[in-house]
Amino acid sequence: INPQSSTGVQGQTCEGNCGKQLDFCSCHPTCKSLKNCCADYKQYCVELFPYSGTIFGGTDFIVLEASFNKSSQIICKFNNNTNTVGYVDENSRGHCISPLLYETGWVPLHISSDNGTTFSRVGAWLAVHTGKLDSKFKATLVNSTKWQYYGTPNVGGTLEMTWNTSLVRAERVNIELWGYRETGEPYSDYWQGEWEYLYSLAKNQPNNGSFSFLPKPAANGFSSWELGSVRISPSTYPDGTWNVQAAWTEDHALAWHLEEKFRQNSTAWALEKCVAWDQLENQLPNFLNEIIDCPCTLAQARADTGRFHTDYGCDIEKGSVCTYHPGSVHCVRAIQASPKYAAGQQCCYDSTGAQVLTADSIGGSTPDRAHDWGSPPYKRPPRIPGQSHWVYDVLSFYYCCLWSDNCHYYFKHRPSSDCRRYQSPSSAVVFGDPHFITFDGVSYSFNGKGEYTLVSSEMKQLTIQGRTEPVNGELLSVSTQLSAVAMKEASSDVIEVRLVSGHNGLEVLQNQKTLSFTEQTWMDLYGVFVFSPTPTNVTVMFPSGAGVEVRLRGGTMTTTVLLPEEFTDSTLGLLGKMNGDATDDLVLSNGELVQNQSNPEELFSFGVSWAVSNKSALFTYDSEYLLDTYYHAPRHDHSFIPMFSAPERPDDPLGQQASEICTGEGSKFCRYDILVGRSPSMGNATKLSFQSHISLVDDLKPVISCGWLSPPNNGRKEGTTYLQGAKVQLFCDDGFTLKGSAERVCQENGLWSGEETTCVVPKLLIRLLTLIKMHTTNWKYKEFSNATTLWVN
């Protein structure tokens, strides 16, 4: 049946059927590749450009390929509860305006062209945390530090902001201040976050991309709003109109509009606020016990990609501009918020790779009452992305540390966690032709053609599957390579990462629909996060802490799986049983153990046993090739017979290259890929992948921490590293004698060597005081004794 003619058949329309496979045509995303879409598919299952924008709203986007009439009255409904008014442009294209949202991630979108009577078109909009949004999509605070310190000593004058004029399609604009606050009792059902229009800084300004002004303390009580953002919007709308096309600055501390009292004595004002925050924190629940511990080293923090991700405010790859963590070169944040209180963890490291602690430095690691990136289901405090974190963790840092010198209040409630409870994840990898290294370090090759279970954990409801295809797609090939991995955890979205045609990039699918990373590199999906900074690099992160890294090297996929210790004794599949015991790693799906791990035929039988069943397959079949080769065929191709070992022929023209490329540990995998796969580039990629895995395992090696060591009272210490082998020198102030150990070393048992160090008053001085007491009148003794005590202190 010709799908182009199927719209006339009763029920064969995509109106109300997006995502479904109909009798005569399809409204499922795969229909585009299979070329069996219903004729009206693009009219009702719509794509957007751009597809993403700030959580603050105001982005004008086009509804692609759907046709509208000039008279169409467009209403756009986001998440089934927030409506904005759209319009039809001069080219009959429909437009929507994104709303102010209190959540990030893909938001369901329904579009009406009859002023809200029916919502027949369906799509999705990606709302993005302001910190993760590219700078070209937001207004810029010129010298943002000046904005956030305005009114403190020696900070004044005019403030300036700039923006890309294309973000606001208007000749004249209003410059408005919007404020954010949270009301109601924390952790109660009445706890709410709200954005509110406060006042305009200027009206009917030319839209020339810049604005400067001399700030004044806010009138009418508006200076009580301490967090907000400036919005540039068309001057044709009344003041503070919600959900119109606009450009926003990043949210920031509104120092520049605070009351006159702040400008007269910012330190005293900030201290008063700091003390009030301290008293509030004393009444709030303790969240510190449920957050994850920090990794001990920078190497661990950067390697544990399933649980930690770069903090964009302190990134070694981008020059380490660590505004809130001076002395650190890189920080990471725990990806998942804590289970009950939705709290976050931030871990910072210095140039030596050691963790920086707040007990030693203002630039130390700090936990957060509210996770900066928010956490599902978002929408309400403390889970609102960005803003909840500002209210509870950042403004208070301004009060106590940046606008006054009272950090001890802040660090009392936000102390660094050290790493004594941190447990590194275990890692396993699939690479090359394909070769496997299990979680417990067993390495082998399995050249089956089909779809197989890489990892299965019934306890954690995690499934990761891999698809293999003949090398170079050749029918006569005797080796295979990984071409796709698909995964899910519990009820999460299914994520698939696969080689694109030509093997020069990776494609990511969410529930069988291709994701585009052209606008955003990070996506919050249902039950999973995906990060893809380049077309050859994808990281998938699940709530359990499981991480899957897929990298493209030399046209081949390398897939690394990282699992935290909670997965111990719960995994099966081609990547083994994770329990620290290499002897029981390779277990067939029927429970039998591989007896001889060096026997290629036995290993092959082991691999075959993990072919996926039809009902459990997670993959997408959106081409005739995939349908014929995998969907309508057995999941393991029994007719495909691989070559189990590399032939060593003296006349092989690739023999010399194999000898030159394949050196050191892992060379057998490299030689196989060159001599059997007939590909020197594949062999080189295999060598690099093997070395990368060895480096990863090394980075993730557990290290011993003895925990923070305090300086003695009336003394000091030298040394702020507390890992095994680290030395800390201890000294006393003048007039005191050191008792205990002057040097302490962190031992492999996790304890400090030596004895506790104290600084005491010398015995000679004590005897002198005693003699004075015996030979002076009581009042004279008291006077002298008090003076001596003051001198000692």
Side-chain angles (χ1 to χ4, degrees), residues 42 79 128 358 424 718 733 735 761:
K42 291 180 180 179
N79 219 5
V128 182
T358 53
S424 295
E718 287 183 3
D733 295 338
V761 178

Side-chain angles (χ1 to χ4, degrees), residues 531-558:
F531 177 61
S532 181
T534 70
T536 60
N537 182 329
V538 178
T539 302
V540 183
M541 299 147 276
F542 291 103
S544 65
V548 181
E549 298 177 354
V550 185
R551 306 289 183 260
L552 182 63
R553 288 192 184 100
T556 63
M557 284 175 62
T558 295

Side-chain angles (χ1 to χ4, degrees), residues 697-748:
V697 171
D698 190 55
D699 287 342
L700 288 172
K701 276 182 182 173
V703 297
I704 303 296
S705 171
C706 294
W708 180 70
L709 190 65
S710 64
N713 289 333
N714 303 305
R716 58 189 173 83
K717 69 173 183 180
E718 287 183 3
T720 54
T721 302
Y722 309 112
L723 305 182
Q724 182 181 346
K727 296 178 182 179
V728 175
Q729 308 281 344
L730 301 150
F731 306 90
C732 289
D733 295 338
D734 290 344
F736 289 86
T737 300
L738 188 144
K739 183 179 179 183
S741 300
E743 180 181 274
R744 305 189 69 182
V745 180
C746 180
Q747 304 171 112
E748 64 177 324

Side-chain angles (χ1 to χ4, degrees), residues 11 73 106 116 122 212 252 275 305 336-337 344 353 439 538 550 555 638 710:
Q73 294 178 286
W106 286 102
V122 179
S212 60
H252 59 280
V275 171
T305 52
Q336 306 294 337
F439 294 107
V538 178
V550 185
H638 290 276
S710 64

